[in-house]
Amino acid sequence: MPADLDFPVIFLLPSHLGSEELQELVEQIPTLTYDINEAEVILGKISRKERALFELRKRKLVTEEVEKDERTPPASPPRKRIRLSATPALGSSDLDSDTCSEGEIQRRLVGPVFVPKVEPTVKVAKLSWFTDSLSAGEVLPLDDKYAIYRGRKAMQPPPAPASVQTTPTKSTSNILTRAHEDSHPRTPPSSQKRYSSQGSSQKPGSTYASHPVTKTPKRPALLRQTTSEHDLDTHLPPIPPCLHTTYSCQRSTPANPPNQEFISLLLQIRLARTLTGDKIGVRAYSSAIATVAAYPFPFQTQNEVARLPGCGQKIALLYQEYKTSGTLKEVEEYESDPKLQVLKLFYDIWGVAETTAREFYNKGWRDIDDVVEYGWDGLTRVQQIGVKYYDEFLLKIPRREVEEIGGVILKEANKIEEGFGMVIVGGYRRGKKESGDVDVVLSHRDEEATRGFVERIVVGLERRGYITHTLLLSTANTERGQEPVAWKGDSRVAGSGFDTLDKALVVWQDPNYEGEGRNTNPHRRVDIIISPWKTAGCAVLGWTSGTTFQRDLRRYCKKEKGLKFDSSGVRSRKDGAWVDLESDPVTGEPAPDMLTAERRVFKGVGLEWREPEERCTN
């Protein structure tokens, strides 16, 4: 197992890695770090030194290449592995956490306290070094076969000894105050524009001065443990069997888990990683959040967190910080960072992903007014609509209104063609009190009825005044004769062909209002999905479940069953043929309803049935 191998601290480059490959590597690397300054080895799917140097420059890691005659290090004791569960050691009472520097707070260890050494050099290695090491069952030497580049990290000079005073003595309180101010950059005054987000008065189109800062590699923090926490650790509840799997689709994840407050902070960190393009961090935090959300007990100690799959010491240290302070420093930094707040502002525009948000920022735009004034003509039609209804799309939709919208859609569907069934999916079906949008799946036992139906229902709802704009209208399923698309192998571009059902993504406004003048009812985002009856169970399953649940369901089907799953059906990875999991296995009769079909898909792929309220992965 990878956890038995003593790998150095590894930073993984996401470049050229597919979504599934990236997820597998994140789960396999036992010493993964999200801070490149902590890494001893930088691992990536690269083969040239020039590319390695580009990746280092891109991440502002300053190094000096190590010549061959410098590469042989002096003999030193082997690196020790940190123990995450331990009993108080002799002499540990002498430790005073108040005297330790930030990032070096000690926990009680068996025997001498060991602080990991931060290596002054870093190696950029081919991905094959890691995979070959797993195959060999040992950590292979990082020789010229695998190492692309070796560099010495640029270090800041050490601080002057405490006994040498070069400035007049200041009071302790003043020193602490100044240190706190130095560690939190001052936020420029907020713009007076309506949609500014802690912005700057910088003119759009100009460029901020950017000065790369050489960071001193941080010393990894250790878990500390009080005597009372040690006593609690000896009576921890057993890890539920379902948490021994990495697939969130194999466990129950409720909407309001016992550690929800801590999860909310982790979600903010994941959002910050999303905005900065840290794909590895996003994947790692998604896995950790899914595990914590499925854990059925309130956490008592950090070691209780560290033992959970997908969490480890990184998440345990964050829990330790949360337990002590009630918050997380990284969350506070995210909330006070002007750039991240601007990126979040753009990211909340419907039709703008994180990459586009960064493009807007790099153009010098700092608020919605800048987007309108300087970039309106360059926006897609969908983005223009997202800007126009920015405030309204951020409003949550109560369950009662979701049900009313669903009722109007089903009534219109049966007015056009009698016999349609509908399931309201998404967050509503998972039990959310409020939803960001409304998702419905429509189907009919007669396959001819669903052919081209999406266009007919959009026209009908437009005539009645409910649909004001159509953002996307896809008839891909109708155009291929409503046959489940054959899987075309792993060589296919990632993401292409996913969910090829007919669908309409629309802007909705209730045309019924009181009084005179303009309709003041809020505009809502509504997705109408049309599925043939033979794959309706897959559609309902895919559009109901939380994001991580869906991702892990696809990964589970691939790794454990040799199947390709998406909302438009299940296919074999051997020959690409459609696999019918929804008809009765004995009689071949179609499912009597859409919810029965969904249950049959669970059974067909070998999963225990989970109620929609148990699929609340974020």
Side-chain angles (χ1 to χ4, degrees), residues 485-490 557-565 570-579:
V485 61
W487 180 66
K488 298 182 179 179
D490 286 323
C557 286
K558 175 182 178 180
K559 295 296 183 183
E560 308 300 332
K561 299 297 178 179
L563 299 172
K564 175 75 168 66
F565 172 89
V570 177
R571 279 87 71 194
S572 168
R573 288 183 175 270
K574 292 181 179 178
D575 56 14
W578 170 55
V579 179

Side-chain angles (χ1 to χ4, degrees), residues 255-256 396-400 402-403 425-437 544 546-547 612-613 615-618:
N256 297 296
K396 295 297 184 181
I397 310 173
R399 292 183 67 84
R400 175 191 55 77
V402 173
E403 292 163 0
V425 288
Y428 170 87
R429 189 162 180 246
R430 297 196 300 273
K432 283 189 174 182
K433 294 181 180 179
E434 296 180 318
S435 301
D437 60 6
T544 292
T547 303
E613 296 82 1
R615 306 178 219 163
C616 298
T617 58
N618 294 287

Side-chain angles (χ1 to χ4, degrees), residues 26 29-30 46 51 98 116 210 246 253 270 296 328 339 356 363 375 391 422 480 488 500 524 561 580 583 599:
V26 166
I29 299 174
I46 54 179
R51 179 70 190 193
D98 291 337
S210 177
T246 63
T253 306
R270 187 181 70 177
L328 296 176
K339 178 177 179 179
T356 307
K363 290 179 179 179
D391 291 324
M422 183 192 73
R480 66 163 187 269
K488 298 182 179 179
T500 53
R524 304 298 198 184
K561 299 297 178 179
D580 183 5
S583 298
R599 284 181 175 269

Side-chain angles (χ1 to χ4, degrees), residues 142-143 165 194 219 247 266 319 344 394 427 463-464 497 548 599:
L142 257 175
D143 53 23
Q165 295 186 358
R194 179 183 173 208
R219 181 172 297 187
Y247 302 117
L266 296 180
Y319 176 74
K344 174 65 165 57
L394 291 179
R463 286 173 177 168
R464 295 182 60 191
T548 305
R599 284 181 175 269

Side-chain angles (χ1 to χ4, degrees), residues 333-361:
E333 291 174 346
Y334 157 66
E335 292 176 339
S336 62
D337 187 315
K339 178 177 179 179
L340 287 177
Q341 293 308 304
V342 172
L343 290 176
K344 174 65 165 57
L345 180 79
F346 295 153
Y347 184 66
D348 283 338
I349 300 172
W350 204 90
V352 173
E354 64 273 14
T355 302
T356 307
R358 291 193 293 273
E359 290 175 358
F360 287 1
Y361 186 90

